[in-house]
Amino acid sequence: MGMTPTAMIFDIQSFSVHDGPGCRTNVFFDGCPLRCRWCANPESQLHRRQLLFSERTCKWDQGCRACRSACSRGALDVNDEHMPRINRRICASCETIECVKSCAAEALREPVREMSVDDVMRVLTRDMRDWGSGGGVTFTGGEPLMQSDFLIEVLKRCHEKMIHTAIETSGFTSTERFLDVFSLLDFAFVDVKNMDEEAHRWGTGVSNEQVLTNIAALAHSDRWHGRLVLRQPTIAGYNDSDENAEKLIDFMNENDLFEINLLKFHRLGQTKWEQLGLTYEYADKGDMSDERMSELQDMYLDAGIACYIGDNTPF
Amino acid sequence: MKHCDCANFLSLDCEKGMCALDKAIVPLDGEGSFACPRFKEGYLCKFCSNFHDPDDHGIGTCTGFEKPEWAYAGCGAFTCEHFVRASELEAVSE
Amino acid sequence: MDEKQARINQILETRGKFRSLDVQAGEGYEDEKFPEPSPRFTKLMDIYYVMKNTIDMEYPYWYNRVWWQNDGDLPEIRRAKAESAALTHMTPTIWPDELLVMNKTKNWRGAFCFPWVDASFFNAQAEALMNEADAPALSESDKMSVVAAGGGNVTKSYGNVVSIAQKFGLRKEEVPVLVKVAKYWDNCSVEVKTQQYSELLPEYKKYKAYRDSVLVMFDSWAIPQGREVMNYYLPLEYGFDRLSELCDEKIDEGLGKVEHGDGLLGMSRGYYYIAMKEIIHGLSQWAENYSKKAAQLASIEKDPRQKSDYEDIQIVMHNIAHKQPQSFREALQLTLLLHFATVNEDPQSGQSIGRLGQILDPFYEKDLREGKITEEEAIELLELYRIKITSIECFASSGVTGGVLSGNTFNNLGVGGLNYEGMSAVTPLEYLIVEAAGRAKTTQPTISVLYDEKLPEDFLLKCARVTKMGFGFPAYMNNQTGMNFMIRHYGEEGMGIEDARAWMLGGCLESSPGCFQPLHYDGKVTWIPGGAGPTAGTGVHFTGLPKLLELVLTNGVDKRTGIKVFEPHGHKLDTFEDLWAAWTEYLHECIEVSLKVNNIQMDVWGKMNPPVVTSLLKPDCFTKGQIETRMGARYMGTHNFESCGTVTFINAMTSLRKNVYDEKKYTLDEMVDAMLHNFGFKTAFETGVFSPDHREATELAPKYEKIFYDCVNAPKFGNADPYADQQMVDYQNHMTPYLYSLQSCYGTDYYMCQISVSTHGPQGAITLADAGGRLAGTTYSDGSVSAAAATDKNGIYAVFESATCYDHSRNQNAQMNVKIHPSAVKGAAGTRKLLDVIRAYMRRGGFHVQFNITSSQTLKAAQAKPEEYRDLMVRVAGFTQYWCEIGKPIQDEVIYRTEYDH
């Protein structure tokens, strides 16, 4: 089989039901080139080991002191109430994470695992018979395209085994790479976060130009035979304007795309920001009303585009 | 007399029953447990002429069957083959 | 389908090529809602919700009176006379708006005690009870009980109501009657006699130690029936009058006559039919009494609609008192009568209704065809049927009530499976049964789908839609696995493929043998399924496997009580194999001693209190002329071994293997020291918090931090990790042949029952911390093949992989509990995904899967404001219960488990 690459994977979830048709297994790739201010999986942004600390799970209040001397670098300390405190600057370069190995409560976690193609395929072939006829695997993250060599290997193997494959991606990679990967996929969600270049750069740290180019190229490519659904995390004050929707509608019509899934902004990732010792900018803004979501949906429907809200999808 | 002694009383549980006439839930104890003017004597051992000499706990003797046997006042007698209403006997004998 | 979905579908139709792939024609994204239940149902349930569990003395009084009047008669005839008198002297109660009538007693949620089974419970507290009866009523403010706190449970005495076993209310004026009746049985109850003969066993002291240490917590005599499947065939085929004539014919033909040289059983046939004639008369008269009551109510009723209801009831009850039923309603009412008669015969739980929609379908289809009933009318009857079954309460001695019943008597109704010809058995009536369950929110009957690949897809989807509502049912049983188990186990008694197809669960999960019988109705013959064996829920039960391991590590001494449960085992335990050998030696001793006691218990019960209603109904008692317990039933090999906390045990063994024997990180002494010190945490008894997640450190905690971490992180069952799963395989490989070497009192082979009803709480409570990282006093794992709470890290498919690491058809059952957040199965697509999950597990050969689809937020809200969630139901162990009727510790546990699963 030759040398197969490995990848940094931070979770594999079975019975995932909102990321493609049927029952699926989701493979979460670590690392992302974007820096979305509202990100729900911030631990995956940096492509390296990161310590998560959950204050809620920690048993300091029940008298646990198990981690107090676990860290030889002095990155772990306790405050006056014996609650652990982490010095992230010291911690950032750690590869050995002894502290995690001291915590039976799993309040200190380091979720990223290095996996081979075989490792991933072992899980997928195990789960394969459990999906039912409509399901398959969804590669998400983080950004799966960041580890595209690995991804392509896995996709080829999935293809051999007749596994239905889907991706959830920001679309941020070179057009050539993008088409290489997509030619092996059956189903794709590609995010379009904002049609305005400046706003995209502000929200995600990168321009939208590459993303839009890739989508357009895909729409016109004879290498793509799958189903493409655009996705937009819809965030009040950022991309919920009529203007943004109009531009996206135009873009979709130009490229003969007709399905979009608007995801109402949620704050499920907030605790992870806190567990990483970071401040969550979207702690108290960005909320969308159901009415506004419905209005936006109508705009798309009026333009002949099938627009789904949240998990209310036909798949 | 109480609701639970009435022929129109339907058992529900250890604290209440129902009046078959107006379908109201009535308590077995305390306020509201006393019968109304529509009261009609029910089917209980204590209303049977074959039931004799109850003690303080309502346990007396049943002579309705071949062999006399102890019985208790509050026992239902709707289906008893030897239930003879004492008050009707009295009415006849008077 | 709403307007937006219609537009989306239109767009996909014109622009895309995907619609046919993903969206079923005409299907909305939202599930169709189940319609509201009928007004009759709602009115009656409003009353049900305020009903108290009540015991009264009418049945025991009459049973006792007639039993002693017949002193000296043959036991089966004496029993039949006593039961008959008791049934026919109870006050028949009919409430307005009912169509189906009858109850266990005169009360709605009525029950009664069985002093002839167990009198010590009452005699021990006779004086205290009398004092309560004689005391003046409590102050006015104490008179009102709090409804929301315990639902219908009477947890303490108030006013003129005395609480019995913290569950039932008894009128004070009936206490002297109870005390008086109980005295008769002081020296001759089944309990006393089984005790007397068990004590003659040389090993009795050992058995007592098992019980006192709570290693084993079960007495067969306390619930000698139930966990079996009803059979309504004979009365449905013949009617009571004809059955009585048949008895006469059999008596004429067979009394005093022995055939085929069988003197032992041959002679008893004549007495059998005499007893059957008595009980048939009683059952018929019981029905007639309700007819008479309906007539009385009709005579005083002013409302014409209600009057006509009473008149209909009068006719129905009169008809079924004598003849074969002639309509769906009569047939349904007759099965209800038989069900109540059976559950009144002995203290019991888990009396399964069986595959009712297959049994009654000929009656329904005839009525429908002839325009005598509409679908909606049939659904209404089935909704009302649900109330009747939900109202069945059981009084057993308090240990059993608390531990086994948790308030639900789990009368299980089966749908699906295969028919006599081996085709899908699903009938039109079964669709309505499922529909009624979706509309009428009651805990019972719980519904079990006998899942087979041959079942219609729309039927399975309909079942999945009800499962999604979060009641905890339908649950799904693997029909092929069940049939395989049947043939494997009952083949010796002659079971073939047809009878194997008639299987069904007795009680929550006890796969029970059945058979098909030919019903002549509507000008044709229909082969209807029904139960064909005695209780499959008895034997050596509730054996705490983790406790047994603890005793191996403490060399036989129970540290909690100081009791020497076993002799020192003499093993060095220096290898894993040696540990396993020591554990199996203790296990064998425990099982073999308990088996003798159980055999005595079941045999004494059967001889003293021969079951007569059951012996009328169960094939082939009537054909053979034999009482069930005298080998009357077609299949007798139902007794088994039931473990508790299997996965907790597997995890503990796996950790020992890894940490002590394979990796040698700790010595066994270090491990035992950590367990004895609860890894440096306070015990649940010290903190009062029983949640497995609560760990309050003591000053010893630092000493055990590392070992605790390694125990918690040792491989756990439920993660598709072969290291842990192999332990389960080894356990199974050991048990299957071993149990086949043991014999029940009927001379049949033992086998394994893999469930842990609800003793995982009480048995967890008396068990020290274990090497798997479970702390002292906290609950064992709840299902037999589910992962222990919070230990499955690799998702549900990995749980399935572990669970099916051995062939489930070796055992009577395998319980898998799955929690799913409601959002994961939302909408029509969600229903399909739920069915995908069910099917995934079934395809792996998983025997049984049930779902809790309720969010932890809902449960917490219900805990805070029970009065607003009176109809919220959750799945606990193998059955469904109203949330507010389960105790707080179990509530906490369910919330914890639900929360963990995101």
Side-chain angles (χ1 to χ4, degrees):
Chain A
M1 195 151 297
M3 253 270 289
T4 51
T6 62
M8 302 300 273
I9 304 291
F10 75 91
D11 199 5
I12 296 188
Q13 275 178 9
S14 58
F15 190 51
S16 174
V17 293
H18 296 141
D19 301 291
C23 300
R24 311 189 72 80
T25 295
N26 279 7
V27 180
F28 291 85
F29 281 71
D30 195 40
C32 184
L34 274 60
R35 291 289 174 271
C36 299
R37 292 164 185 261
W38 54 85
C39 181
N41 292 322
E43 76 276 30
S44 68
Q45 286 190 347
L46 295 176
H47 188 38
R48 62 166 171 75
R49 290 197 186 280
Q50 281 193 90
L51 185 67
L52 270 78
F53 171 64
S54 166
E55 202 178 306
R56 208 184 62 122
T57 315
C58 178
K59 304 279 179 202
W60 64 274
D61 55 338
Q62 291 168 28
C64 181
R65 308 283 178 266
C67 63
R68 71 204 169 290
S69 52
C71 182
S72 55
R73 291 171 190 77
L76 201 61
D77 186 12
V78 290
N79 71 8
D80 295 343
E81 290 168 304
H82 296 283
M83 190 170 83
R85 282 185 312 197
I86 297 156
N87 186 333
R88 297 273 172 186
R89 275 188 300 192
I90 301 176
C91 198
S93 58
C94 177
E95 289 286 332
T96 45
I97 52 165
E98 292 85 353
C99 60
V100 169
K101 290 170 194 151
S102 75
C103 181
E106 296 185 5
L108 289 161
R109 283 191 304 134
E110 202 292 300
V112 179
R113 287 172 279 170
E114 185 174 345
M115 292 182 85
S116 67
V117 173
D118 284 346
D119 291 338
V120 171
M121 289 313 294
R122 203 170 297 123
V123 176
L124 297 184
T125 41
R126 182 194 78 203
D127 289 0
M128 190 176 173
R129 59 174 160 176
D130 295 329
W131 294 323
S133 53
V137 57
T138 299
F139 300 99
T140 178
E143 174 50 67
L145 294 178
M146 258 186 106
Q147 305 182 64
S148 57
D149 288 346
F150 179 89
L151 181 59
I152 285 171
E153 278 310 308
V154 172
L155 285 172
K156 282 180 185 162
R157 299 271 291 275
C158 286
H159 195 74
E160 283 165 20
K161 290 188 183 288
M162 301 177 75
I163 290 174
H164 181 277
T165 54
I167 195 168
E168 194 187 27
T169 174
S170 66
F172 190 77
T173 190
S174 74
T175 305
E176 193 191 347
R177 262 282 107 148
F178 188 78
L179 292 178
D180 285 348
V181 171
F182 273 60
S183 68
L184 293 163
L185 282 162
D186 301 307
F187 190 104
F189 292 111
V190 181
D191 274 15
V192 180
K193 270 122 186 169
N194 206 312
M195 289 303 286
D196 181 80
E197 207 269 336
E198 264 314 299
H200 197 275
R201 201 181 279 282
W202 177 84
T204 70
V206 302
S207 162
N208 61 8
E209 200 189 315
Q210 183 72 52
V211 177
L212 296 177
T213 307
N214 287 348
I215 294 171
L218 186 70
H220 297 99
S221 165
D222 56 5
R223 295 176 68 194
W224 170 239
H225 306 289
R227 177 172 181 175
L228 176 63
V229 179
L230 299 190
R231 250 190 181 175
Q232 186 195 68
T234 310
I235 301 158
Y238 177 66
N239 57 7
D240 65 331
S241 67
D242 281 5
E243 191 196 353
N244 188 53
E246 282 159 8
K247 280 192 192 160
L248 186 46
I249 288 167
D250 289 344
F251 174 77
M252 289 180 75
N253 280 334
E254 280 163 25
N255 291 292
D256 197 26
L257 299 173
F258 53 87
E259 283 188 283
I260 188 164
N261 187 189
L262 302 183
L263 302 177
K264 192 173 153 183
F265 171 71
H266 66 75
R267 222 168 259 120
L268 295 178
Q270 183 173 349
T271 51
K272 290 199 219 166
W273 286 79
E274 288 155 9
Q275 289 175 20
L276 287 163
L278 302 169
T279 311
Y280 191 47
E281 191 179 331
Y282 273 85
D284 55 2
K285 63 178 182 180
D287 291 304
M288 294 293 299
S289 68
D290 288 336
E291 293 71 38
R292 182 59 186 154
M293 293 301 288
S294 181
E295 283 167 21
L296 287 169
Q297 184 181 28
D298 280 334
M299 289 180 67
Y300 287 95
L301 294 178
D302 290 345
I305 291 170
C307 174
Y308 321 119
I309 304 295
D311 55 23
N312 195 11
T313 64
F315 36 77
Chain B
M1 281 297 161
K2 290 185 136 189
H3 289 302
C4 54
D5 294 323
C6 178
N8 301 320
F9 177 81
L10 305 171
S11 282
L12 284 172
D13 66 15
C14 55
E15 58 175 32
K16 55 197 173 294
M18 184 186 278
C19 171
L21 296 179
D22 58 16
K23 281 71 175 171
I25 290 185
V26 291
L28 295 183
D29 301 303
E31 209 182 317
S33 67
F34 295 97
C36 74
R38 292 173 300 182
F39 178 82
K40 190 170 168 271
E41 196 178 88
Y43 299 85
L44 297 167
C45 286
K46 66 181 172 187
F47 298 135
C48 177
S49 64
N50 291 314
F51 182 69
H52 307 285
D53 311 321
D55 65 10
D56 291 349
H57 289 126
I59 292 179
T61 305
C62 165
T63 56
F65 292 75
E66 226 174 295
K67 284 186 228 161
E69 190 57 76
W70 70 270
Y72 64 104
C75 187
F78 181 79
T79 65
C80 183
E81 51 274 53
H82 297 297
F83 178 79
V84 181
R85 194 174 293 287
S87 60
E88 282 170 14
L89 268 190
E90 281 158 24
V92 172
S93 63
E94 268 165 24
Chain C
M1 198 186 312
D2 71 13
E3 170 260 344
K4 286 197 181 184
Q5 278 173 22
R7 290 177 70 190
I8 287 172
N9 285 351
Q10 184 61 42
I11 292 166
L12 293 176
E13 200 106 30
T14 44
R15 297 194 66 170
K17 54 200 175 204
F18 309 110
R19 189 173 143 65
S20 60
L21 283 179
D22 297 322
V23 187
Q24 297 293 308
E27 189 177 82
Y29 305 156
E30 295 294 329
D31 262 330
E32 233 176 278
K33 293 261 184 307
F34 281 99
E36 289 298 308
S38 65
R40 275 183 205 273
F41 171 86
T42 307
K43 270 166 114 173
L44 290 167
M45 278 308 279
D46 284 344
I47 301 174
Y48 171 85
Y49 287 139
V50 297
M51 286 298 99
K52 295 291 178 197
N53 292 333
T54 300
I55 58 175
D56 80 288
M57 291 305 296
E58 286 184 354
Y59 188 106
Y61 169 78
W62 277 102
Y63 182 98
N64 187 64
R65 179 170 172 167
V66 173
W67 175 269
W68 292 108
Q69 264 175 16
N70 288 282
D71 200 359
D73 207 338
L74 298 174
E76 60 266 50
I77 295 171
R78 201 172 167 189
R79 267 282 272 186
K81 284 179 176 168
E83 283 186 35
S84 206
L87 292 175
T88 56
H89 284 94
M90 280 193 294
T91 301
T93 314
I94 297 170
W95 296 286
D97 294 305
E98 289 198 303
L99 293 178
L100 292 173
V101 298
M102 302 192 82
N103 320 287
K104 279 188 69 166
T105 70
K106 66 178 180 177
N107 292 308
W108 193 305
R109 297 180 70 172
F112 51 86
C113 52
F114 298 80
W116 43 96
V117 173
D118 165 22
S120 69
F121 179 73
F122 306 106
N123 288 332
Q125 48 176 336
E127 204 176 323
L129 281 169
M130 286 304 283
N131 287 341
E132 265 200 88
D134 290 337
L138 300 171
S139 71
E140 203 61 33
S141 62
D142 285 339
K143 274 185 187 165
M144 295 319 288
S145 61
V146 189
V147 174
N153 294 331
V154 179
T155 51
K156 55 181 184 194
S157 302
Y158 63 97
N160 285 318
V161 177
V162 175
S163 165
I164 306 283
Q166 286 90 55
K167 181 169 166 68
F168 289 93
L170 172 69
R171 295 289 301 167
K172 262 188 180 180
E173 55 269 27
E174 296 195 29
V175 168
V177 186
L178 169 61
V179 169
K180 202 170 164 65
V181 170
K183 282 222 177 80
Y184 282 78
W185 303 91
D186 203 16
N187 286 312
C188 54
S189 67
V190 175
E191 178 194 21
V192 169
K193 288 291 158 193
T194 58
Q195 178 79 11
Q196 195 179 322
Y197 296 117
S198 301
E199 281 176 11
L200 296 177
L201 287 169
E203 310 95 328
Y204 184 73
K205 261 191 199 148
K206 292 182 178 177
Y207 181 71
K208 192 159 180 309
Y210 306 156
R211 295 299 305 271
D212 292 345
S213 62
V214 203
L215 170 61
V216 175
M217 58 178 303
F218 186 69
D219 276 317
S220 314
W221 56 260
I223 38 172
Q225 293 200 64
R227 286 87 65 225
E228 61 191 283
V229 184
M230 289 287 301
N231 198 310
Y232 306 115
Y233 172 73
L234 281 181
L236 284 176
E237 170 76 2
Y238 295 107
F240 288 130
D241 286 359
R242 179 66 192 131
L243 275 177
S244 182
E245 284 172 24
L246 283 170
C247 287
D248 284 332
E249 291 169 19
K250 294 278 195 180
I251 293 165
D252 290 351
E253 176 190 306
L255 187 62
K257 202 164 114 192
V258 171
E259 273 174 353
H260 314 303
D262 186 0
L264 199 59
L265 293 175
M267 277 307 291
S268 56
R269 279 182 300 160
Y271 316 127
Y272 166 87
Y273 292 110
I274 296 170
M276 289 304 109
K277 209 168 133 69
E278 289 288 344
I279 195 67
I280 289 165
H281 175 257
L283 295 171
S284 167
Q285 186 58 45
W286 196 26
E288 201 65 90
N289 289 347
Y290 276 87
S291 179
K292 184 178 156 197
K293 182 67 191 179
Q296 184 233 344
L297 288 170
S299 74
I300 58 169
E301 184 56 56
K302 298 282 191 303
D303 174 44
R305 186 197 62 87
Q306 183 61 57
K307 193 184 180 72
S308 131
D309 279 357
Y310 288 141
E311 286 164 351
D312 289 347
I313 293 168
Q314 185 188 344
I315 296 167
V316 168
M317 295 313 290
H318 175 71
N319 287 349
I320 66 161
H322 303 286
K323 297 179 296 188
Q324 183 191 40
Q326 291 303 311
S327 67
F328 170 63
R329 177 169 164 186
E330 285 185 12
L332 184 63
Q333 178 70 60
L334 179 59
T335 64
L336 202 48
L337 175 145
L338 297 169
H339 203 87
F340 286 137
T342 304
V343 296
N344 273 356
E345 178 160 82
D346 265 313
Q348 58 181 283
S349 60
Q351 188 59 257
S352 279
I353 292 154
R355 290 149 68 166
L356 193 72
Q358 294 159 33
I359 297 162
L360 297 185
D361 191 64
F363 297 93
Y364 166 67
E365 291 213 43
K366 179 167 187 278
D367 285 5
L368 189 69
R369 189 182 69 236
E370 293 175 353
K372 288 184 185 156
I373 200 169
T374 63
E375 268 194 21
E376 281 302 313
E377 284 164 350
I379 292 168
E380 182 183 46
L381 281 175
L382 292 165
E383 290 173 4
L384 301 176
Y385 179 78
R386 296 194 64 81
I387 302 179
K388 284 291 173 199
I389 301 295
T390 298
S391 304
I392 296 178
E393 299 292 341
C394 166
F395 184 91
S397 73
S398 78
V400 175
T401 319
V404 184
L405 297 179
S406 273
N408 184 319
T409 50
F410 42 109
N411 300 264
N412 201 336
L413 192 157
V415 296
L418 298 181
N419 63 19
Y420 184 74
E421 285 85 19
M423 303 306 289
S424 161
V426 173
T427 64
L429 184 57
E430 287 188 326
Y431 282 81
L432 305 191
I433 286 173
V434 176
E435 176 75 23
R439 295 186 189 183
K441 297 178 183 59
T442 65
T443 54
Q444 293 200 64
T446 186
I447 294 180
S448 296
V449 180
L450 303 183
Y451 176 92
D452 196 283
E453 287 292 335
K454 288 186 182 175
L455 301 196
E457 191 77 356
D458 66 328
F459 181 73
L460 290 170
L461 285 166
K462 192 178 183 92
C463 293
R465 275 174 61 207
V466 177
T467 302
K468 271 174 53 172
M469 295 174 82
F471 311 153
F473 60 77
Y476 299 81
M477 318 296 151
N478 195 322
N479 188 52
Q480 292 295 324
T481 304
M483 285 172 55
N484 281 340
F485 167 73
M486 286 295 141
I487 290 173
R488 183 200 291 262
H489 184 67
Y490 294 100
E492 269 198 1
E493 294 187 65
M495 184 180 279
I497 186 80
E498 279 87 7
D499 278 7
R501 289 178 187 135
W503 80 283
M504 166 57 196
L505 300 169
C508 48
L509 282 169
E510 290 87 337
S511 304
S512 295
C515 69
F516 290 98
Q517 290 171 285
L519 177 76
H520 298 78
Y521 186 76
D522 192 19
K524 63 180 181 187
V525 176
T526 311
W527 288 86
I528 60 171
T535 178
T538 197
V540 178
H541 274 206
F542 306 147
T543 307
L545 303 187
K547 182 75 185 175
L548 198 70
L549 179 58
E550 173 191 315
L551 289 164
V552 170
L553 298 177
T554 59
N555 215 6
V557 178
D558 180 25
K559 294 287 179 186
R560 187 180 67 97
T561 58
I563 297 172
K564 189 171 148 191
V565 184
F566 293 96
E567 291 299 317
H569 47 64
H571 285 267
K572 286 188 188 148
L573 309 180
D574 49 1
T575 62
F576 182 74
E577 290 66 32
D578 197 44
L579 173 73
W580 177 246
W583 186 82
T584 52
E585 279 167 26
Y586 272 4
L587 178 74
H588 291 192
E589 182 187 309
C590 172
I591 291 180
E592 283 155 35
V593 170
S594 305
L595 173 68
K596 287 186 182 177
V597 175
N598 183 72
N599 279 350
I600 291 171
Q601 290 186 348
M602 289 307 284
D603 188 55
V604 166
W605 160 72
K607 287 193 162 79
M608 289 177 68
N609 280 358
V612 287
V613 178
T614 313
S615 296
L616 170 67
L617 299 176
K618 279 278 160 69
D620 300 321
C621 297
F622 200 82
T623 322
K624 292 195 248 178
Q626 296 301 347
I627 293 288
E628 181 191 59
T629 46
R630 249 174 254 148
M631 309 298 287
R634 187 173 297 184
Y635 302 108
M636 297 299 294
T638 54
H639 293 190
N640 51 52
F641 167 71
E642 185 173 313
S643 58
C644 182
T646 308
V647 167
T648 299
F649 161 71
I650 297 295
N651 287 342
M653 284 297 272
T654 304
S655 168
L656 288 171
R657 189 176 141 205
K658 186 172 178 78
N659 288 313
V660 177
Y661 297 104
D662 282 2
E663 297 185 358
K664 300 188 169 47
K665 278 190 177 171
Y666 307 95
T667 65
L668 190 62
D669 288 344
E670 285 171 327
M671 194 60 103
V672 172
D673 176 61
M675 286 162 50
L676 293 177
H677 291 96
N678 201 31
F679 297 104
F681 299 105
K682 288 185 182 167
T683 67
F685 286 100
E686 286 165 329
T687 61
V689 185
F690 285 82
S691 166
D693 190 39
H694 190 84
R695 299 167 190 159
E696 220 171 299
T698 69
E699 68 281 4
L700 284 175
K703 185 178 167 195
Y704 301 110
E705 275 160 3
K706 201 163 153 356
I707 193 167
F708 183 61
Y709 177 86
D710 284 323
C711 286
V712 167
N713 284 287
K716 296 281 183 283
F717 184 78
N719 290 287
D721 180 343
Y723 193 93
D725 297 354
Q726 187 57 42
Q727 189 60 50
M728 177 66 99
V729 175
D730 291 345
Y731 170 68
Q732 295 290 340
N733 285 347
H734 176 79
M735 293 307 280
T736 305
Y738 168 64
L739 290 173
Y740 275 129
S741 73
L742 305 175
Q743 303 266 294
S744 79
C745 66
Y746 303 126
T748 53
D749 292 352
Y750 252 50
Y751 59 94
M752 184 125 82
C753 172
Q754 279 244 109
I755 58 177
S756 68
V757 196
S758 43
T759 58
H760 55 283
Q763 292 197 295
I766 52 85
T767 306
L768 297 175
D770 66 56
R774 184 195 129 275
L775 296 187
T778 63
T779 178
Y780 290 169
S781 53
D782 71 335
S784 67
V785 289
S786 306
T791 63
D792 51 321
K793 311 284 184 193
N794 294 343
I796 191 173
Y797 298 147
V799 173
F800 287 1
E801 171 92 357
S802 287
T804 54
C805 66
Y806 67 96
D807 175 13
H808 283 191
S809 78
R810 284 174 169 199
N811 302 335
Q812 189 190 40
N813 37 36
Q815 183 184 349
M816 164 64 71
N817 298 328
V818 173
K819 285 112 198 157
I820 292 183
H821 197 271
S823 68
V825 289
K826 236 177 75 182
T831 304
R832 290 183 177 284
K833 287 168 189 172
L834 177 60
L835 183 54
D836 280 341
V837 176
I838 295 162
R839 186 165 271 149
Y841 191 58
M842 295 288 127
R843 285 178 59 197
R844 286 174 172 275
F847 208 153
H848 161 258
V849 60
Q850 64 185 16
F851 297 88
N852 246 336
I853 306 184
T854 310
S855 67
S856 60
Q857 292 98 305
T858 307
L859 298 179
K860 281 182 183 164
Q863 206 175 32
K865 289 185 176 174
E867 63 282 1
E868 288 174 21
Y869 291 86
R870 191 62 184 78
D871 63 355
L872 177 68
M873 295 184 268
V874 293
R875 189 89 175 180
V876 183
F879 48 89
T880 294
Q881 182 55 293
Y882 288 112
W883 176 251
C884 69
E885 298 205 356
I886 58 180
K888 186 156 185 304
I890 299 183
Q891 285 187 351
D892 285 343
E893 184 199 325
V894 173
I895 289 178
Y896 169 66
R897 289 170 192 273
T898 310
E899 243 177 6
Y900 168 73
D901 289 283
H902 316 296

